[in-house]
């Protein structure tokens, strides 16, 4: 994530450059990459907090396993965070390593803390919608489900136990020592670890996947809707650009039709006439002209049309020019 003024400046420049080039999706991906990297750092910080709580006995995960989990998360998170900080989100290739790293960090957290962090599975799919690419969101959903399936198995062997999934043989007695825990007593009893992992997978992970599937469908819809909105916004920008170009052209055409050389009558030193035209908008329905009728008379014409618009302004100017031409001919006795 951009953690310095220069990095934020480079990111803004990259976004502005993409927008000027008309690539709205690239501009969106840059900011999305930064958001994914920031989310991953936040989740890693939460994992460190969980490690501290586990060290003080608030959580019941195996401390050694918890430490290994933090090291594994740091191993996959730190390098891509450094890369993302260097490139500040710039580069289409960044979105896949960033997302896979986010999925892995979330999966490590799930494998360590088990059912206590059920919602962590939702982070990757929710964050992926920020790219506004329904195919990308669908692929992220599939990868997330596969990796979290593996994480569930790992959690069954090493993570925090879900006692609701534990099954014992008949006549098993749990003996909890004074300084021991229920987990230690379960592990010391006649406990079928494989049966527990199967129960965990079927009764916890599979129902979670059904909910995750419905969420994935919703997220894909959100991503598609976001994509449509970007396309609509890009089309509006193109139309606005075309209108601006046309208005600029109309302004130049209208201005070129108005007299702008002063002094107006260099051959008549006793006549001083100056004019200036500043429309309230790009073009206006205003017109002026002046000409010599005879040695003692000067004709000045000022015209205005209600409303604004290119068509009205140009029509008024052309009509006025035509009438002024006829007036000049009549004044000259032609």
């Amino acid at each position: 994530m951009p953690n310095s003024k220069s990095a934020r400046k480079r990111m803004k420049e990259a976004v502005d450059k993409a927008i000027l080039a008309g690539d709205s999706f690239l501009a969106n991906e840059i900011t999305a990459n930064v958001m994914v990297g920031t989310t991953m750092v936040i989740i890693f910080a939460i994992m460190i907090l969980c490690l501290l709580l586990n060290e003080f006995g608030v959580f019941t995960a195996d401390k050694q396993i918890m430490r290994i989990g933090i090291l594994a998360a740091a191993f996959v998170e730190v390098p891509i965070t450094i890369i993302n900080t260097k490139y500040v989100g710039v580069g289409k290739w960044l979105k896949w390593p960033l997302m896979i790293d986010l999925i892995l960090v979330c999966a490590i957290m799930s494998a360590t803390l088990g059912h206590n962090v059920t919602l962590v599975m939702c982070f990757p799919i929710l964050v992926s919608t920020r790219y506004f690419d329904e195919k990308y969101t669908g692929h992220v959903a599939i990868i997330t489900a596969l990796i979290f399936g593996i994480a569930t198995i790992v959690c069954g062997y090493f993570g925090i136990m879900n006692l609701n999934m534990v099954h014992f043989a008949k006549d098993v007695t749990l003996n909890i020592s004074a300084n021991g825990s229920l987990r230690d007593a379960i592990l010391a009893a006649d406990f079928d670890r494989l049966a527990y992992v199967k129960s965990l997978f079927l009764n916890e992970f599979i129902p979670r996947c059904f909910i995750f599937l419905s969420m994935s469908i919703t997220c894909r819809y959100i991503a598609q809707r976001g994509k449509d909105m970007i396309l609509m916004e890009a089309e509006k920008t193109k139309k606005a650009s075309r209108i601006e170009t046309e208005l600029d052209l109309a302004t130049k055409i209208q201005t070129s039709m108005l007299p702008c050389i002063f002094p107006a009558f260099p051959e008549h030193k006793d006549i001083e006439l100056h004019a200036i035209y500043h429309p309230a908008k790009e073009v206006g329905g205003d017109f002026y002209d002046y000409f010599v009728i005879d040695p003692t008379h000067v004709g000045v014409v000022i015209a205005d049309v209600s409303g604004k618009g290119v068509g009205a302004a140009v029509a008024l100017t052309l009509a006025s020019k035509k009438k002024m031409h006829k007036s000049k001919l009549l004044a000259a006795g032609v």
Side-chain angles (χ1 to χ4, degrees), residues 250-251 253-255 257-258 277 283-288 303-324:
T251 301
I253 292 173
Q254 186 181 31
T255 304
M257 291 179 177
L258 298 174
Y277 176 68
V283 291
D286 303 301
F287 175 80
Y288 70 84
D304 184 25
V305 63
S306 61
K308 304 294 180 184
V310 176
V314 174
L316 175 65
T317 305
L318 292 175
S320 301
K321 275 291 184 181
K322 185 176 181 181
K323 290 181 179 181
M324 290 306 99

Side-chain angles (χ1 to χ4, degrees), residues 1-3 11 29-45 76-86 88-89 94-103 105 123 127-128 130-131 136:
M1 56 183 177
N3 54 2
M11 184 188 73
E29 281 192 2
I30 293 172
T31 55
N33 287 339
V34 173
M35 188 198 70
V36 174
T38 303
T39 303
M40 187 163 51
V41 170
I42 292 172
I43 292 177
F44 183 68
V76 299
E77 190 268 343
V78 172
I80 192 63
T81 298
I82 294 174
I83 293 173
N84 193 37
T85 301
K86 178 181 178 181
V88 286
L94 264 177
K95 68 179 182 179
W96 276 114
L98 276 170
M99 186 57 65
I100 291 175
D101 260 35
L102 177 61
I103 294 172
V105 170
F123 273 100
V127 172
S128 70
R130 181 60 180 78
Y131 287 95
Y136 178 76

Side-chain angles (χ1 to χ4, degrees), residues 7-26:
R8 289 192 294 270
K9 181 180 178 181
R10 284 189 287 120
M11 184 188 73
K12 186 179 183 303
E13 289 175 350
V15 171
D16 292 342
K17 183 179 179 181
I19 292 174
L20 287 174
D23 195 341
S24 300
F25 287 102
L26 176 59

